[in-house]
């Protein structure tokens, strides 16, 4: 594999990582929301879960006390709010990059469906009436086009600088 091919592949991967940022923060938010539901359920009612123990009065008592759960829920709520702000920034970033693709093009449609709507490859293929391999071809063409675009270079550079040292 030549140096030029390797460089193009690296740029394509950089574009892909950039486009995946919205999906990643959306997933983190979903995890936090599930954590909040679990903590709220523990606080609300009796449970047979091991985290609770029966007292002589037969009332369930959380080992750390209900107050600790309230603080944990409040902390999770704050994190969810911060995650929502990060999601807003991420979707804006992704849309800024997608805006560099021609309006109405199949490349743009595929990238939007994948990275904004979070659709599976099968869903995208079904909705645009193409085979999966054709969808991949359009997707890869979009990645290549974005990787070559001068404006995307700045967006990708800023993204790399912000995420330097952060493991994925």
């Amino acid at each position: 594999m030549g140096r030029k091919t390797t460089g193009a592949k690296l740029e394509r991967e950089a574009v892909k990582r950039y486009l995946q940022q919205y999906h990643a923060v959306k997933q983190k938010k979903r995890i936090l929301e599930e954590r909040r539901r679990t903590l709220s359920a523990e606080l609300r009612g009796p449970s047979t879960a091991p985290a609770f123990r029966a007292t002589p009065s037969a009332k369930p008592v959380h080992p750390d006390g209900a107050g600790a759960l309230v603080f944990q829920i409040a902390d999770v709520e704050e994190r969810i709010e911060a995650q929502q702000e990060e999601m807003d920034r991420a979707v804006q970033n992704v849309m800024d990059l997608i805006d560099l693709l021609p309006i109405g093009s199949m490349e743009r449609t595929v990238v939007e469906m994948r990275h904004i709507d979070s659709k599976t490859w099968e869903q995208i293929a079904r909705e645009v009436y193409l085979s999966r391999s054709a969808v991949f071809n359009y997707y890869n063409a979009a990645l290549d086009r974005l990787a070559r675009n001068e404006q995307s270079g700045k967006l990708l550079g800023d993204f790399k600088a912000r995420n330097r040292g952060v493991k994925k």
Side-chain angles (χ1 to χ4, degrees), residues 102-120:
I103 295 172
S105 68
M106 187 55 69
E107 290 91 350
R108 183 177 178 138
T109 300
V110 169
V111 171
E112 286 173 341
M113 293 175 88
R114 182 68 177 168
H115 292 288
I116 294 177
D117 304 331
S118 299
K119 294 186 185 259
T120 65

Side-chain angles (χ1 to χ4, degrees), residues 8 16-17 24 46 65 69 73 85 89-90 102-103 114 116 122 124 126 148 168:
K16 201 166 153 182
R17 277 193 307 279
L69 274 176
I73 291 170
E85 291 171 12
R89 278 190 306 276
I103 295 172
R114 182 68 177 168
I116 294 177
E122 291 79 15
I124 296 168
R126 201 171 35 250
R148 290 188 311 264
K168 299 287 176 198

Side-chain angles (χ1 to χ4, degrees), residues 67-136:
L69 274 176
V70 170
F71 286 116
Q72 287 176 344
I73 291 170
D75 181 52
V76 170
E77 289 286 341
E78 287 177 26
R79 290 172 189 235
I80 289 171
E81 285 177 34
Q83 202 65 43
Q84 182 61 49
E85 291 171 12
E86 193 173 338
M87 276 178 61
D88 294 345
R89 278 190 306 276
V91 76
Q92 189 62 48
N93 291 343
V94 170
M95 289 172 72
D96 287 345
L97 190 62
I98 291 172
D99 280 345
L100 300 175
L101 294 170
I103 295 172
S105 68
M106 187 55 69
E107 290 91 350
R108 183 177 178 138
T109 300
V110 169
V111 171
E112 286 173 341
M113 293 175 88
R114 182 68 177 168
H115 292 288
I116 294 177
D117 304 331
S118 299
K119 294 186 185 259
T120 65
W121 294 115
E122 291 79 15
Q123 290 171 320
I124 296 168
R126 201 171 35 250
E127 289 185 33
V128 297
Y129 304 104
L130 293 171
S131 67
R132 268 184 62 153
S133 63
V135 168
F136 284 133

